[in-house]
Structures are given as structure tokens and as C-alpha cells.
């Protein structure tokens, strides 16, 4: 799915670049997966469970960029990856083609800066433009920051 990169100003005045991933981002995304898995108990795997090779991550990025019904966006602050956000079709059955699954997680040092609001807002707008009528996500009920973000955006 297509997306035109954007630069937005965060509530702190810092700028945040939002764009689709490129193959050159594979190494940074693998490091992100390992680090964030160790920073919070709210993700579904621990850092020792991140076993994706660089080649597999490059292929994942390629597939994502070619997916007409899915999108991954990356947020960068001061040139540093803050985190990704993505949606993908729940499945391709006629009765559920209107549903997409959403995921977002940021490095802990970028929490509370408004990045999640901007990034997820961009993603949800793109999902709606792609024809999705329902976005679904999961979180741990004790993850108050995530619950607050999702409620703010209409979940």
C-alpha cells in the first residue's frame, strides 16, 4: 500500500518523520524487536524469542511494501527509530474483508511524547482509505498508557 512520508511536530516541538520501511531499516528493526521485548512485559515475546535473521527481516519488509491491504509505518525522531505501527487484513474471507489487525510499540525512551497518537492516527486514516471499516488490536488491561491511547483514538 502506498503512503507519502510526513514530518510532524510533536507536542515537545521536536519533529517526527513518519514513513514506510525500507530494506535498509531491517537491522534497526531487529534491534528494536530485541530491545522493546526486554523493556516491557506487555509484548507477546521476550528478547530471547526474537530469532529473525537479517535476511528474513528484509523479506518481511519486501512483503509488507508489496501488500495492497497492509501497511507498516516507522516513526523517527532526530533520526532515531522510535517504533513501528502496522495493519494487516485479519483474513481475506468475504465476510471479514472489512477488518484489519493493528499493532504498535515504541522504544520506552519515546513514550509520552505524542508519537503513538500521531503514528496510530496516520495508520488508522490509511486503513480507512484502504477500505477497512474495523480495526482490531489487543493489549494487556494493566498497560494504562496503551489503553489511554487506544481510548483517545476511539477504541
Amino acid at each position: 500500500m502506498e503512503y507519502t512520508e510526513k514530518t510532524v511536530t510533536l507536542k515537545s516541538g521536536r519533529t517526527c518523520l513518519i514513513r514506510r520501511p525500507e530494506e535498509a531499516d531491517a537491522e534497526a528493526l531487529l534491534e528494536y524487536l530485541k530491545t522493546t521485548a526486554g523493556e516491557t512485559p506487555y509484548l507477546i515475546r521476550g528478547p530471547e524469542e526474537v530469532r529473525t535473521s537479517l535476511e528474513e527481516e528484509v523479506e518481511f519488509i519486501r512483503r509488507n511494501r508489496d501488500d495492497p491491504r497492509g501497511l507498516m509505518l516507522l516513526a523517527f525522531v532526530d533520526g532515531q527509530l522510535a517504533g513501528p505501527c502496522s495493519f494487516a487484513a485479519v483474513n481475506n474471507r468475504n465476510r471479514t474483508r472489512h477488518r484489519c489487525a493493528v499493532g504498535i510499540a515504541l522504544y520506552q525512551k519515546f513514550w509520552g511524547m505524542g508519537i503513538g497518537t500521531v503514528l496510530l492516527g496516520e495508520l488508522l486514516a490509511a486503513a480507512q482509505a484502504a477500505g477497512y471499516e474495523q480495526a482490531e488490536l489487543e493489549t494487556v488491561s494493566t498497560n494504562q498508557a496503551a489503553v489511554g491511547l487506544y481510548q483517545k483514538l476511539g477504541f
Side-chain angles (χ1 to χ4, degrees):
M1 176 172 184
E2 293 300 316
Y3 177 83
T4 303
E5 73 177 44
K6 291 184 180 178
T7 301
V8 297
T9 302
L10 301 173
K11 59 186 179 184
S12 66
R14 295 169 78 181
T15 58
C16 178
L17 171 68
I18 300 174
R19 66 168 173 80
R20 294 174 63 205
E22 300 166 357
E23 290 179 25
D25 296 317
E27 193 170 341
L29 283 167
L30 287 174
E31 182 59 33
Y32 153 85
L33 287 171
K34 292 174 187 170
T35 301
T36 56
E39 287 181 333
T40 177
Y42 300 127
L43 299 178
I44 62 171
R45 62 180 160 197
E48 71 283 352
E49 295 175 291
V50 178
R51 298 184 185 103
T52 306
S53 71
L54 185 59
E55 294 78 18
E56 289 169 327
E57 189 66 16
V58 167
E59 182 55 33
F60 172 78
I61 291 169
R62 284 183 191 140
R63 279 193 320 271
N64 181 274
R65 289 185 63 88
D66 293 339
D67 185 352
R69 297 204 15 99
L71 178 66
M72 175 185 276
L73 297 176
L74 305 180
F76 293 86
V77 177
D78 300 330
Q80 290 185 293
L81 176 64
C85 186
S86 64
F87 71 77
V90 169
N91 59 51
N92 286 316
R93 293 185 186 102
N94 289 336
R95 292 184 181 180
T96 57
R97 288 186 58 82
H98 67 286
R99 296 169 47 200
C100 66
V102 173
I104 182 172
L106 302 175
Y107 277 112
Q108 194 171 45
K109 69 181 180 178
F110 292 105
W111 292 1
M113 297 174 65
I115 298 167
T117 301
V118 170
L119 187 57
L120 189 52
E122 284 291 311
L123 190 85
L124 292 173
Q128 186 174 26
Y132 290 106
E133 298 171 14
Q134 181 174 324
E136 303 172 5
L137 52 79
E138 294 181 15
T139 192
V140 178
S141 63
T142 57
N143 186 349
Q144 294 176 350
V147 170
L149 169 63
Y150 304 148
Q151 287 175 338
K152 179 168 51 172
L153 292 173
F155 286 89

